[in-house]
Amino acid sequence: MSAYEPRRPDFEQAVRTSFGKQGMMRHIRASVAKVEPGFCEIHLPYSDDVSQQHGFFHGGVVGTIADNAGGYAAFSLMADGDGILSVEYKLNITAPADGELLIARGRVVRPGRTLSVTTAEVTVVKDGKESVCAIMQQTLMRIIGNPNVVG
Amino acid sequence: MSAYEPRRPDFEQAVRTSFGKQGMMRHIRASVAKVEPGFCEIHLPYSDDVSQQHGFFHGGVVGTIADNAGGYAAFSLMADGDGILSVEYKLNITAPADGELLIARGRVVRPGRTLSVTTAEVTVVKDGKESVCAIMQQTLMRIIGNPNVVG
Amino acid sequence: MSAYEPRRPDFEQAVRTSFGKQGMMRHIRASVAKVEPGFCEIHLPYSDDVSQQHGFFHGGVVGTIADNAGGYAAFSLMADGDGILSVEYKLNITAPADGELLIARGRVVRPGRTLSVTTAEVTVVKDGKESVCAIMQQTLMRIIGNPNVVG
Amino acid sequence: MSAYEPRRPDFEQAVRTSFGKQGMMRHIRASVAKVEPGFCEIHLPYSDDVSQQHGFFHGGVVGTIADNAGGYAAFSLMADGDGILSVEYKLNITAPADGELLIARGRVVRPGRTLSVTTAEVTVVKDGKESVCAIMQQTLMRIIGNPNVVG
């Protein structure tokens, strides 16, 4: 399923534990749906808390979960004790995020000792139908010995 | 103060009215601090709702208010009845957003009939001292006859 | 092979004709290796003309052919008489472009009436072995009735 | 003039020496017009070698000199023996690069021990009149003990 070897057996738990500490993610009710070595999928149900004035998911929240999905995809390949920090990310919004559920799938393109590069695809589910609404390209930096730093 | 001529006298009210309709902005308690033709400044106080696991502002929220500041800077130059949509944005995080207040200042670099280009600088205020934590570059598209579409 | 329907039967010739008019591409000896609806592959052999001081392909030339591959992927879906213009592109360099041949493969992610979004992967071939050295994300704008505008 | 302290007295010569080793820059006749600590200005005269099919400067070459201007702005703050590598750059093209001279001005926004962030503005001079045609945002990585690595 994944081309990458995790550096720790409990990589999934490490992702879920770190994610659980993010007040913002808890707050908007985002959840980690799937973790594989170098891959992370995040789900976010629609609510007024993540809306813009048109009733769609806010563009900022689309970027937020894309950034997080890429960040945790990279974090899943880190060693115990390491953290990861977003250096930069670039989001193209390809369609309005109009639907009941937002899904971000982050994948590691280049795992690095210092820098990692990821991409993420964000889809929106409306009336059960899933379609792409954004794509992201991101750079992350490994923080040695600080597992608390993500995103 | 500004190099741009607004297309409507009530451009500031138009920005504030649209901003007020964004559930997410209301929710995280972001506010429009200043509007000029081609410029918008947004403030966001720290709270658990916008935090990551390290106690800093979440990187996604830094991108969210940068995206919004750039979007409303461009919206301030639109004609009555027009809206604007984020096509893409790119954020470089230059320092952890560690502080009590986050400020995003968006400026129009290129006002366009169809596409506008903006930049935003995000600063964080800690113990009263303000420092840059991120910069953004963004493309927006004018939506003719749909004032409800922003960001 | 491709999910897209071309708007003109001679889409490949249209791409090759436009490409042939680019002084810079001719000059650095880049060539169009493959065209499909929504896809374009460009090859560039190593030469001193495209080098940086370390003897690798120059980072700027990596971006140049990525930009071109994405641009022609989008152009391949345009109607006769239309042109396309790069609005913005973002390149992540994932490895030094060290080798004898540079290959850029551009793909349309979102074909649009006004705006198109593409991605490109750039690989470098060294001693016959191909590996990824950069990825790109790009926005392009359709120019109605101006087939000469590309990139 | 500059807010930054150079780490070596001969920073300008270091930039010019490294730039002189880039086959591509020599080849398209680009030159370093100005160097300050954290700043670099590059000039490129129009020629068929840098053109696209419309007779403008090729979008790729606009990105190339923007990338180089930002890279050398960062390199000007490096210590003797250090090099710098482009991690990523993002270019927004705000107008066709139609003119006789292209100018890129790179500035360091965040000088870093490991990563530096720069911005560049690219202008084009037509009939003696200079106007902005592109803006860039870039991340660079310091390569300790390898002065040959730039761009």
Side-chain angles (χ1 to χ4, degrees):
Chain A
M1 208 127 182
S2 167
Y4 300 114
E5 263 313 308
R7 283 196 186 70
R8 55 191 296 178
D10 62 337
F11 68 91
E12 175 166 358
Q13 194 47 55
V15 167
R16 294 185 179 278
T17 302
S18 171
F19 188 91
K21 291 181 189 160
Q22 296 197 334
M24 185 181 185
M25 290 301 105
R26 209 168 45 237
H27 197 74
I28 59 178
R29 292 188 282 112
S31 61
V32 174
K34 192 176 193 180
V35 183
E36 287 166 13
F39 175 84
C40 180
E41 179 175 324
I42 294 176
H43 287 196
L44 176 68
Y46 183 78
S47 74
D48 183 63
D49 299 1
V50 293
S51 67
Q52 37 86 291
Q53 69 286 10
H54 209 51
F56 301 157
F57 283 91
H58 194 287
V61 101
V62 174
T64 298
I65 71 163
D67 173 41
N68 245 6
Y72 281 111
F75 186 61
S76 72
L77 298 180
M78 294 292 115
D80 193 357
D82 291 345
I84 201 141
L85 209 58
S86 290
V87 168
E88 59 85 28
Y89 63 92
K90 197 271 199 207
L91 187 81
N92 279 77
I93 297 163
T94 58
D98 176 18
E100 59 263 12
L101 176 67
L102 202 62
I103 300 176
R105 296 181 178 94
R107 287 177 176 79
V108 172
V109 172
R110 183 224 187 233
R113 248 188 82 275
T114 305
L115 297 180
S116 296
V117 177
T118 73
T119 59
E121 184 179 71
V122 184
T123 60
V124 64
V125 180
K126 181 166 195 171
D127 307 327
K129 194 181 161 305
E130 183 174 353
S131 59
V132 177
C133 61
I135 58 173
M136 181 204 71
Q137 213 165 281
Q138 176 190 43
T139 306
L140 300 115
M141 186 175 190
R142 174 176 163 235
I143 306 299
I144 300 166
N146 191 341
N148 287 330
V149 183
V150 179
Chain B
M1 210 129 182
S2 166
Y4 300 114
E5 262 312 307
R7 283 196 186 71
R8 56 191 295 179
D10 63 337
F11 68 91
E12 175 167 358
Q13 192 47 55
V15 167
R16 294 185 179 279
T17 301
S18 170
F19 187 91
K21 291 180 189 162
Q22 297 197 333
M24 185 180 186
M25 290 302 106
R26 210 168 43 238
H27 196 74
I28 60 179
R29 292 190 281 113
S31 62
V32 174
K34 192 177 192 180
V35 183
E36 288 167 13
F39 175 83
C40 180
E41 180 175 323
I42 294 176
H43 287 196
L44 176 68
Y46 182 78
S47 74
D48 183 64
D49 299 0
V50 293
S51 67
Q52 37 87 291
Q53 70 286 11
H54 209 51
F56 302 156
F57 283 91
H58 195 286
V61 102
V62 174
T64 298
I65 70 163
D67 173 42
N68 246 6
Y72 281 111
F75 186 61
S76 72
L77 298 180
M78 294 292 115
D80 192 357
D82 291 344
I84 201 142
L85 209 58
S86 290
V87 168
E88 58 86 26
Y89 62 92
K90 196 270 198 206
L91 187 80
N92 280 77
I93 298 164
T94 57
D98 175 18
E100 59 262 12
L101 177 68
L102 202 61
I103 300 176
R105 296 180 177 93
R107 288 177 176 79
V108 172
V109 171
R110 186 228 186 228
R113 247 188 83 276
T114 306
L115 297 179
S116 295
V117 177
T118 73
T119 59
E121 184 179 73
V122 184
T123 60
V124 64
V125 180
K126 181 167 195 171
D127 307 327
K129 194 180 160 306
E130 183 174 354
S131 60
V132 177
C133 62
I135 59 173
M136 181 203 71
Q137 215 166 279
Q138 176 190 43
T139 306
L140 301 116
M141 186 173 191
R142 175 175 162 234
I143 307 299
I144 299 166
N146 190 341
N148 287 331
V149 183
V150 179
Chain C
M1 208 128 185
S2 166
Y4 300 114
E5 263 312 307
R7 283 195 186 71
R8 56 192 295 179
D10 62 337
F11 68 90
E12 175 166 358
Q13 193 47 56
V15 167
R16 294 185 180 280
T17 302
S18 170
F19 188 90
K21 291 181 189 160
Q22 297 197 334
M24 184 180 185
M25 291 301 104
R26 210 168 43 237
H27 197 74
I28 60 180
R29 293 190 280 110
S31 61
V32 174
K34 192 177 193 181
V35 183
E36 288 167 11
F39 175 84
C40 181
E41 179 175 325
I42 295 176
H43 287 196
L44 177 67
Y46 183 78
S47 74
D48 183 63
D49 299 1
V50 293
S51 67
Q52 37 86 291
Q53 71 286 12
H54 209 52
F56 301 157
F57 283 91
H58 195 286
V61 101
V62 174
T64 297
I65 70 162
D67 173 41
N68 246 6
Y72 281 111
F75 186 62
S76 72
L77 298 180
M78 293 293 116
D80 192 356
D82 290 345
I84 201 142
L85 208 58
S86 289
V87 168
E88 59 86 25
Y89 62 91
K90 197 272 199 202
L91 186 81
N92 279 76
I93 297 163
T94 57
D98 176 17
E100 59 264 12
L101 177 67
L102 201 62
I103 300 176
R105 296 180 176 95
R107 287 176 176 81
V108 171
V109 171
R110 184 224 187 233
R113 248 188 82 277
T114 305
L115 297 180
S116 295
V117 178
T118 73
T119 58
E121 184 179 72
V122 184
T123 60
V124 64
V125 180
K126 182 168 194 170
D127 308 327
K129 194 181 162 307
E130 184 175 353
S131 59
V132 177
C133 61
I135 58 173
M136 181 203 72
Q137 214 166 280
Q138 176 190 43
T139 305
L140 301 115
M141 186 174 189
R142 175 176 162 234
I143 307 299
I144 300 166
N146 191 341
N148 287 331
V149 183
V150 179
Chain D
M1 211 128 182
S2 166
Y4 300 114
E5 262 312 308
R7 283 195 186 73
R8 55 192 295 177
D10 62 336
F11 68 90
E12 175 166 359
Q13 193 47 55
V15 167
R16 295 185 179 279
T17 301
S18 170
F19 188 91
K21 291 180 189 161
Q22 297 196 334
M24 184 179 186
M25 291 301 105
R26 210 169 43 238
H27 195 73
I28 59 179
R29 293 191 281 111
S31 62
V32 174
K34 193 178 193 181
V35 183
E36 288 167 12
F39 175 84
C40 179
E41 179 175 325
I42 294 175
H43 287 196
L44 176 68
Y46 182 77
S47 74
D48 183 63
D49 299 0
V50 294
S51 68
Q52 37 86 292
Q53 70 287 8
H54 209 51
F56 301 157
F57 283 92
H58 195 287
V61 101
V62 174
T64 298
I65 71 162
D67 173 42
N68 246 7
Y72 281 111
F75 186 62
S76 73
L77 298 180
M78 293 293 114
D80 193 356
D82 291 345
I84 202 141
L85 209 57
S86 289
V87 168
E88 59 86 25
Y89 62 92
K90 197 272 198 203
L91 187 81
N92 280 77
I93 297 163
T94 58
D98 176 18
E100 59 264 12
L101 177 67
L102 202 61
I103 300 176
R105 296 181 177 92
R107 289 177 175 79
V108 172
V109 171
R110 184 224 188 233
R113 247 188 83 278
T114 306
L115 298 179
S116 296
V117 177
T118 73
T119 58
E121 184 179 71
V122 184
T123 60
V124 63
V125 180
K126 182 167 195 171
D127 308 326
K129 194 181 162 305
E130 183 175 354
S131 60
V132 177
C133 62
I135 59 173
M136 182 204 70
Q137 214 166 279
Q138 177 189 43
T139 306
L140 301 115
M141 186 174 191
R142 176 175 161 234
I143 307 300
I144 300 166
N146 191 341
N148 287 332
V149 183
V150 179

